[in-house]
Amino acid sequence: MGETKTLLRIAALALMWGSSFFWIKLGLEAFSPVQLVLARLVLGTAVLLALCLVGRRSLPAQRSTWGHLLVAAFFHNALPFLLFAVGETTVDSGITGVLNSTTPLWVLVAAPFLGVSNRMNAPRIAGLVIGLGGILLIFAPWQASGLLSWGALACLAAAASYGFAFVYEGRYLSNTGSSPYAIAGGQMLLATGFLVLAMPFGGLTPVHLSPVALIAVVILGLGSTGIAFALNYQLLASEGAVAASVVGYLLPVVSVLLGAVFLHEQLNLRVIAGMVVVLLGVALTRLQRKPAVAPEEELTPA
């Protein structure tokens, strides 16, 4: 991981995924959540399918694979993307990035329900408890100024959806024999279909176009979705999931800094402490006694 190329990929991924919440906030000034997510998925799908075309990679042929892709498209793309967009109508982009960093905790929770061994040990149990404590500290339901709201809960539900999706994909889509680009492209294509079906429920509102919002959505779709997914697969192939997981620790830092500098969002010490506690819990869940045995699940994009 000391190589310049690897560090540049990690930095680029952290910037693209960490900034996605910033672009969502800007895009919501012109688009409804459904419209924004549909545009994001269409652009991201175009990037991945173009990569398949250039690399002469065909989409999966097995019907069973498409069945699993349908589930993955809903829980990894359509649902969490929409929940984050809905949540950001009332929640700051920096807070959204912090809540997104809880994804690895939900991976541990989801694994037993899908019959996947998560190799629970004392550090991981401690990390899960500490991480959940960090979430409670962020929400502060005992204070009138706490962040407990429907928008914040929507963001947390999106992170939980990512956690389920990672476990599901690891079990059913990790060994299909198809190109990762083809898997991701097919998955996003199906997710786009879900958002088309959702258009009557919030996607037909008037659009108030502005250059800033339009540019934000284009960057979100092409960069933070399509290119970022492709770059993530390159990092996984060259350095493995452990290296890719480093990106997850940088996402909330990027989202908080962008929100504070450009959107003038303010974070109190309690929320910052909660973010530190969550990341500490995540770090504990990723401890391995024998690193060579099996790679960990990569953290989620936004």
Side-chain angles (χ1 to χ4, degrees):
M1 283 184 34
E3 295 182 359
T4 302
K5 185 180 294 187
T6 299
L7 293 176
L8 287 175
R9 284 176 177 169
I10 290 175
L13 269 177
L15 182 60
M16 284 189 283
W17 276 341
S19 67
S20 62
F21 309 106
F22 174 75
W23 303 123
I24 289 171
K25 180 66 76 174
L26 293 179
L28 288 172
E29 294 179 2
F31 300 93
S32 72
V34 173
Q35 293 166 346
L36 184 146
V37 175
L38 177 60
R40 174 184 187 178
L41 286 169
V42 168
L43 293 171
T45 301
V47 170
L48 288 165
L49 292 184
L51 288 172
C52 290
L53 184 62
V54 171
R56 297 183 179 180
R57 301 177 177 93
S58 59
L59 293 176
Q62 299 88 350
R63 184 177 299 180
S64 59
T65 299
W66 282 101
H68 293 310
L69 282 175
L70 195 67
V71 176
F74 182 78
F75 287 102
H76 194 169
N77 302 112
L79 180 62
F81 284 7
L82 188 56
L83 286 174
F84 276 129
V86 170
E88 281 206 53
T89 59
T90 58
V91 178
D92 287 347
S93 63
I95 297 294
T96 306
V98 173
L99 295 176
N100 177 72
S101 68
T102 65
T103 295
L105 305 178
W106 302 115
V107 168
L108 291 183
V109 173
F113 293 98
L114 289 174
V116 176
S117 173
N118 55 10
R119 304 183 300 279
M120 291 297 286
N121 52 33
R124 288 192 166 189
I125 294 173
L128 183 59
V129 173
I130 290 172
L132 295 178
I135 296 173
L136 190 63
L137 183 59
I138 292 170
F139 279 156
W142 58 85
Q143 290 187 2
S145 60
L147 291 174
L148 189 59
S149 66
W150 287 112
L153 289 176
C155 295
L156 194 63
S161 184
Y162 277 148
F164 170 83
F166 280 150
V167 178
Y168 187 91
E169 290 164 357
R171 178 167 184 177
Y172 297 108
L173 290 170
S174 59
N175 296 304
T176 62
S178 299
S179 161
Y181 291 163
I183 290 291
Q187 183 173 316
M188 283 202 184
L189 187 64
L190 292 173
T192 302
F194 280 123
L195 264 295
V196 170
L197 294 177
M199 283 296 287
F201 308 96
L204 303 179
T205 57
V207 175
H208 305 286
L209 278 181
S210 69
V212 172
L214 188 59
I215 291 172
V217 172
V218 170
I219 295 175
L220 177 66
L222 295 179
S224 298
T225 307
I227 295 174
F229 266 81
L231 191 60
N232 182 55
Y233 284 125
Q234 290 180 353
L235 185 61
L236 285 170
S238 64
E239 298 295 336
V242 174
S245 70
V246 174
V247 178
Y249 296 95
L250 303 176
L251 299 189
V253 177
V254 173
S255 68
V256 166
L257 287 177
L258 287 175
V261 173
F262 294 102
L263 299 177
H264 306 292
E265 297 174 352
Q266 295 185 0
L267 291 176
N268 56 44
L269 290 177
R270 189 196 73 249
V271 173
I272 295 175
M275 177 179 69
V276 172
V277 172
V278 166
L279 293 179
L280 174 61
V282 169
L284 285 174
T285 66
R286 303 189 68 78
L287 287 179
Q288 300 181 78
R289 292 185 178 181
K290 297 179 180 180
V293 173
E296 293 295 320
E297 308 89 345
E298 68 270 23
L299 296 187
T300 172

